[in-house]
Amino acid sequence: MTKRIVVLVSGNGGNLQAILDAVGDGRLAARVVGVVSNRPAVRALQRATTAGVPTVVVEPQPAETRVQYDERLCEVVGAWRPDIVVLAGFMRVLSPEFLDAFPQAVLNIHPALPGELPGTQAIERAHAQAQEGSRTHSGVMVHLVPDAGVDSGPVLASVQVAMQKSETLADFAARMHEAEHHLLVRALVEFIDRPLVEKTHQPLRFA
Ligand code: GAR
């Protein structure tokens, strides 16, 4: 059966667009059934609307705890009955209260290699390190999100991106985003094609 994907976003939505394009031209046998943003009026929401995908904005409320927010988020996402939840530039850490509702089904894309540069502005930090001479390459990874760790979890796919000291941040960022868009689609195709045999234990094994 066609897999149902819900995408969580916070901003531009370039990775969301890569998924929408891959679904649109048949590379990805799935359907994006909903998009949620924690920020209103972001470009990602326009991209979803243009593709005919329903959107919901779940904005954090003043004095709301993380768990309270995640419970509201969980209700919105759960209503779409997703097989896969993709964090595509969703800039919040999710609590176990959310993650336990979608076991082995939440994927994150991060613009760094496994174990490197967790958190925000990974591209900018990698670029600064290359300028200082302490980094020759970076990369991109897609991983499962089993717990509230930041940009960590069993890696589904990763790719190295070589760096040159002379490259501008804008050029490097553009190459990184291109790498992300390819890797995310590839990881999703593989994730859908090869269901996990062991749902609960690491290391992951594939059928
Ligand atoms: C992407 O580079 C994504 O990998 C990154 O945010 C950007 C969102 O861009 N995510 C993280 O840094 C997660 N820690 P997009 O809105 O154009 O997809």
Side-chain angles (χ1 to χ4, degrees), residues 29-46:
R31 202 176 127 213
V32 180
V33 292
V35 169
V36 182
S37 174
N38 61 322
R39 296 189 185 130
V42 292
R43 180 141 181 246
L45 292 167
Q46 292 167 9

Side-chain angles (χ1 to χ4, degrees), residues 21-166:
D21 290 348
V23 168
D25 66 21
R27 278 174 293 143
L28 186 56
R31 202 176 127 213
V32 180
V33 292
V35 169
V36 182
S37 174
N38 61 322
R39 296 189 185 130
V42 292
R43 180 141 181 246
L45 292 167
Q46 292 167 9
R47 295 180 191 267
T49 303
T50 301
V53 173
T55 63
V56 175
V57 175
V58 183
E59 263 193 286
Q61 301 300 308
E64 186 178 42
T65 65
R66 180 176 301 283
V67 170
Q68 286 167 339
Y69 176 90
D70 281 7
E71 281 170 359
R72 290 199 296 126
L73 184 67
C74 192
E75 234 169 84
V76 170
V77 173
W80 280 313
R81 294 177 289 105
D83 299 297
I84 301 169
V85 178
V86 180
L87 312 182
F90 184 67
M91 293 309 200
R92 284 183 65 94
V93 174
L94 291 167
S95 60
E97 280 72 10
F98 181 93
L99 295 168
D100 291 352
F102 308 101
Q104 300 283 355
V106 182
L107 276 61
N108 180 48
I109 179 147
H110 183 61
L113 289 171
E116 295 187 359
L117 303 167
T120 60
Q121 309 233 296
I123 294 175
E124 288 81 353
R125 286 182 283 146
H127 184 259
Q129 290 172 358
Q131 298 297 299
E132 289 163 5
S134 62
R135 177 177 285 280
T136 56
H137 64 272
S138 187
V140 174
M141 70 165 160
V142 177
H143 63 93
L144 281 171
V145 184
D147 54 35
V150 177
D151 299 315
S152 64
V155 176
L156 297 172
S158 68
V159 66
Q160 281 199 10
V161 176
M163 302 183 75
Q164 286 145 12
K165 234 179 153 180
S166 59

Side-chain angles (χ1 to χ4, degrees), residues 125-204:
R125 286 182 283 146
H127 184 259
Q129 290 172 358
Q131 298 297 299
E132 289 163 5
S134 62
R135 177 177 285 280
T136 56
H137 64 272
S138 187
V140 174
M141 70 165 160
V142 177
H143 63 93
L144 281 171
V145 184
D147 54 35
V150 177
D151 299 315
S152 64
V155 176
L156 297 172
S158 68
V159 66
Q160 281 199 10
V161 176
M163 302 183 75
Q164 286 145 12
K165 234 179 153 180
S166 59
E167 192 174 30
T168 65
L169 174 58
D171 287 350
F172 172 59
R175 287 197 302 119
M176 287 287 281
H177 291 311
E178 203 185 331
E180 296 196 283
H181 301 164
H182 281 113
L183 192 75
L184 181 55
V185 171
R186 202 186 89 198
L188 280 168
V189 167
E190 286 177 6
F191 191 69
I192 286 169
D193 279 358
R194 301 191 300 182
L196 299 174
V197 178
E198 285 187 16
K199 287 272 183 196
T200 49
H201 300 102
Q202 291 189 30
L204 294 171

